[in-house]
Amino acid sequence: MSTTSLPAPDRSPRLREALLAAAFTADGLLDLLGAPAYAALARSETVPALRATRGDSPLDTLVRLFLLQHPVPYERARAALPLAECVEDGWVTHTAGEVRATVDVRPYGGPEGQDWYIVSDLGCAVGGAGGIGSGEEGVVLGVGGASTTLAGITVRTPVASALDVGTGSGIQALHASQHATRVTATDLNPRALDFTRLTLALSGVAPADLRQGSLYEPVGTETYDLIVSNPPFVISPGARLTYRDGGMGGDDLCRTLVQQAGDRLNEGGYAHFLANWQHIEGEEWQTRLSSWVPHGCDAWIVQREVQDVTQYAELWLRDSGDHRTDPAEYAARYDAWLDEFEARKTKGVGFGWVTLRKSAAAAAGNPSVVIEEWPHAVEQPLGPAVQAHFVRQDYLREQDDAALLAGHFTLAAEVVQEQVGLPGAEDPEHVVLRQNRGMRRATKVDAVGAGFAGVCDGTLPAGRILDAIAQLMNEDPVLLRDRTPQAIRLLVEEGFLEPVPSTS
């Protein structure tokens, strides 16, 4: 698979017109297949989609050809495609009255309803789900959950320049093309750059500056306003599979990628990464990750999941299809993974997001570094919430307690209060504030915190509100003012309260 030549992108606009005319789009697929079969495709289950495409419409034909990778009759393919051009350019082959796809072409809906297409190797469209075809070196995967997660957490403000490190089939470069004047995409695998070229051309967007090489080597000392990377972060013995295995010891590839980003970011620029990191015996994982943050950058690192070493090894051995090989060979590979973890004193592996922002305050020695664990569901796209997090950090960095009490706040949108306690009890055991947007956090507050948040509408300064609460609760207002700022800081940091900009 990795040695076959790829289609020529020159006449992609003609193919794109045919795909759109047949409604071979994300919405068109959902209408044709129905929700259950559409969802099954994301799990690499094709039987429901095969049943739904037994008709002879151009859309049925294109789904079977490009998504399900089944041969279709010549006349049906000719009715759906500019077939002579597609054969000549290498998108399909024609043999014995049947037409077969040479690549996977998958409709992908852009954030503003754009009709895009992700081009990848056959059998590798869903991030290697089930290990289908992903055990071969050099293959290029399509869109998986990690790809869409990274796209969703990325801050999407207009920028002059964006860099996609390890572009793969080009989904991050595709997103960046909508808000960056110049997009550079790199990959160690030259085949991945060819697929990115096809993805961008078939999606009807401007081409990117494509460069071959590892990590930041292809861009030298150039700097960017945005850096994104879904790197080959899997911690494995060796680097058998370029598309997923880091090739450095342990989590060194992810650490290097993050640490060297600081020198490639412009002031105010963001860098977003997906990463794995080791949980080492006798070391706090938060301490390990704090050492990754480059000088001059603020950071927000969120651990989304932790697996013990056996779970981790099994996950990735299945991803590459090793569980389908000879049992003795599978056992040997499994043993090699456990040997690697034992040698590094690794007891588990964490997965999550790393976001950096270059800031003057961090450069001056006052960085904001937040490292936390949040395995719960979040709202996607999360990019606006990520940007708001750093704005709040800027605000809190500049406010001492006196300034905080003089500030005005509003309760964030869609925050609700839950009272927890025994049925029939006169007073709740505790009160929980819960967000229905962004990170969808929940935090426990006391009666003062609940009362304070409930009346924050931006009209009164925080100190005046606390004085009123003290009077209602028969508390000393001075003591209440002294002990409450830390609680206010936490509510602001986690996004429950939003500072009202000063009008002075």
Side-chain angles (χ1 to χ4, degrees):
M1 181 185 303
S2 61
T3 59
T4 58
S5 59
L6 294 181
D10 300 346
R11 289 186 284 194
S12 295
R14 284 265 290 146
L15 175 56
R16 175 175 171 80
E17 288 174 9
L19 301 181
L20 293 175
F24 187 64
T25 63
D27 289 341
L29 284 184
L30 184 58
D31 290 341
L32 174 67
L33 302 180
Y38 190 83
L41 271 181
R43 303 190 298 270
S44 289
E45 295 290 348
T46 60
V47 172
L50 282 168
R51 292 174 61 86
T53 55
R54 289 180 289 196
D56 58 1
S57 73
L59 181 54
D60 290 312
T61 300
L62 293 173
V63 172
R64 283 186 166 243
L65 181 65
F66 285 122
L67 262 68
L68 306 180
Q69 281 113 50
H70 276 242
V72 299
Y74 176 83
E75 291 301 327
R76 286 183 56 181
R78 191 172 67 169
L81 293 168
L83 188 54
E85 290 181 6
C86 287
V87 171
E88 183 180 345
D89 292 346
W91 292 94
V92 298
T93 61
H94 171 219
T95 307
E98 288 187 334
V99 175
R100 294 178 180 269
T102 62
V103 291
D104 184 294
V105 177
R106 190 151 302 240
Y108 178 79
E112 297 178 359
Q114 301 97 327
D115 290 317
W116 290 339
Y117 298 95
I118 308 298
V119 188
S120 64
D121 268 314
L122 296 174
C124 298
V126 195
I132 299 174
S134 57
E136 187 175 344
E137 172 64 15
V139 301
V140 177
L141 303 187
V143 179
S147 303
T148 54
T149 293
L150 180 60
I153 67 174
T154 300
V155 174
R156 297 294 176 191
T157 53
V159 294
S161 57
L163 172 64
D164 176 13
V165 180
T167 187
S169 56
I171 180 175
Q172 307 305 329
L174 185 56
H175 276 276
S177 71
Q178 302 304 288
H179 64 105
T181 304
R182 176 173 57 89
V183 177
T184 302
T186 72
D187 205 290
L188 182 62
N189 181 3
R191 185 176 176 83
L193 299 179
D194 290 336
F195 271 113
T196 294
R197 185 178 291 108
L198 293 173
T199 289
L200 298 178
L202 196 56
S203 296
V205 305
D209 177 6
L210 304 178
R211 307 186 193 181
Q212 183 185 355
S214 178
L215 300 181
Y216 300 109
E217 180 271 331
V219 300
T221 59
E222 295 176 35
T223 58
Y224 298 85
D225 303 310
L226 173 68
I227 298 173
V228 292
S229 183
N230 177 16
F233 53 67
V234 176
I235 299 169
S236 63
R240 185 162 60 106
L241 302 175
T242 303
Y243 71 87
R244 69 164 206 194
D245 297 332
M248 298 184 183
D251 52 19
D252 283 355
L253 183 137
C254 291
R255 175 185 56 79
T256 301
L257 188 64
V258 174
Q259 285 183 335
Q260 294 183 0
D263 293 334
R264 273 84 181 179
L265 274 179
N266 294 326
E267 180 71 19
Y270 286 90
H272 303 273
F273 309 100
L274 300 185
N276 273 170
W277 43 78
Q278 296 166 289
H279 284 230
I280 303 295
E281 293 179 13
E283 177 187 58
E284 294 292 333
W285 66 271
Q286 296 93 332
T287 303
R288 183 178 192 83
L289 288 177
S290 67
S291 71
W292 290 16
V293 179
H295 174 74
C297 289
D298 302 316
W300 186 19
I301 302 175
V302 182
Q303 179 167 274
R304 297 288 287 161
E305 183 182 7
V306 182
Q307 292 184 313
D308 66 47
V309 292
T310 59
Q311 290 175 310
Y312 189 80
E314 290 162 14
L315 169 68
W316 294 108
L317 288 170
R318 287 181 175 274
D319 171 82
S320 55
D322 288 304
H323 61 303
R324 299 193 185 97
T325 62
D326 175 71
E329 183 179 345
Y330 173 75
R333 289 195 187 278
Y334 198 154
D335 209 34
W337 283 66
L338 297 185
D339 284 343
E340 174 81 4
F341 288 133
E342 185 176 330
R344 295 183 178 277
K345 298 183 178 180
T346 302
K347 60 182 181 179
V349 179
F351 166 80
W353 318 323
V354 178
T355 297
L356 306 176
R357 185 192 59 166
K358 194 79 170 280
S359 78
N366 187 24
S368 165
V369 177
V370 176
I371 302 174
E372 61 176 321
E373 185 166 21
W374 187 253
H376 310 294
V378 300
E379 179 188 37
Q380 283 282 29
L382 197 66
V386 173
Q387 185 177 15
H389 165 88
F390 287 96
V391 171
R392 293 194 301 270
Q393 294 300 318
D394 287 342
Y395 171 84
L396 291 172
R397 221 171 357 202
E398 297 168 357
Q399 311 297 313
D400 59 19
D401 286 355
L404 205 65
L405 292 175
H408 295 239
F409 302 92
T410 58
L411 189 66
E414 297 189 42
V415 172
V416 297
Q417 175 179 303
E418 300 174 357
Q419 297 186 3
V420 181
L422 293 173
E426 183 175 347
D427 296 311
E429 293 178 13
H430 59 265
V431 175
V432 172
L433 298 181
R434 186 178 301 277
Q435 302 168 348
N436 289 313
R437 303 294 305 274
M439 291 290 285
R440 293 178 175 160
R441 297 184 187 275
T443 190
K444 189 186 300 184
V445 293
D446 60 13
V448 173
F452 180 84
V455 298
C456 278
D457 61 3
T459 58
L460 293 175
R464 290 276 301 280
I465 294 174
L466 290 178
D467 292 342
I469 291 174
Q471 186 174 4
L472 287 171
M473 301 181 67
N474 294 317
E475 290 207 31
D476 185 327
V478 175
L479 293 178
L480 194 61
R481 278 176 172 254
D482 284 346
R483 77 167 193 258
T484 306
Q486 188 57 40
I488 296 175
R489 285 185 185 277
L490 180 62
L491 291 175
V492 172
E493 179 175 330
E494 295 192 341
F496 291 93
L497 295 178
E498 297 178 349
V500 176
S502 172
T503 58
S504 60

